[in-house]
Amino acid sequence: EPNDSLDQVERAALDGLDATMAATLESDEDVDLYAVDVPAGRGLRAEVIPTAAATSCDGFNTRLAFLGDDGLEQVARSSGLDACAFLDGTGDAPRHQQVANPTAQTRRMVVAVTTAFQGPSAALPYRIAFTVR
């Protein structure tokens, strides 16, 4: 913290090569932003998982979103039944085309982690994993 705005985005995982970071959403209004440089012809996979092993993904109040160059959400996914929030732009048929980089240049991608639904909640510790393939 602070990594709540585009000018304060977390850059520790820029290369995205199997990077994992620990963080906490302090409140429902907290937004954590991460930047990852994705080489030409590659894709990004980002997944947020609970820090506590006893917390199941379907009860984990998190949401992952990819922000376009304009700072607006391009695609988002929340944790759900048997799946923590993830975005996957890797492989020959990416599940989320928005986080694939079909261009001939490296592209900086920004991923946001927020709570999935608003309401009273305690701090929410999580781990986020980035993979570029």
Side-chain angles (χ1 to χ4, degrees):
E1 292 291 346
N3 61 338
D4 297 347
S5 66
L6 289 174
D7 61 330
Q8 296 176 321
V9 66
E10 175 62 57
R11 290 178 170 86
L14 269 182
D15 65 14
L17 300 175
D18 299 323
T20 303
M21 300 178 71
T24 300
L25 290 171
E26 299 294 339
S27 71
D28 290 339
E29 291 80 35
D30 194 8
V31 176
D32 290 344
L33 299 176
Y34 300 90
V36 179
D37 288 342
V38 178
R42 302 276 180 96
L44 172 66
R45 178 177 170 86
E47 183 173 7
V48 62
I49 59 173
T51 299
T55 303
S56 66
C57 287
D58 55 341
F60 191 47
N61 181 23
T62 57
R63 183 172 183 273
L64 199 57
F66 165 67
L67 306 182
D69 296 335
D70 55 6
L72 299 176
E73 278 189 17
Q74 301 300 306
V75 63
R77 185 172 170 121
S78 298
S79 293
L81 186 62
D82 296 327
C84 286
F86 72 93
L87 297 172
D88 192 352
T90 64
D92 292 334
R95 180 174 258 171
H96 304 102
Q97 291 286 335
Q98 298 89 336
V99 286
N101 181 11
T103 71
Q105 299 176 16
T106 295
R107 181 175 174 206
R108 179 155 296 165
M109 296 189 179
V110 175
V111 174
V113 179
T114 62
T115 55
F117 54 86
Q118 301 295 307
S121 66
L124 189 63
Y126 68 90
R127 296 184 81 60
I128 186 164
F130 298 103
T131 302
V132 172
R133 298 258 190 270

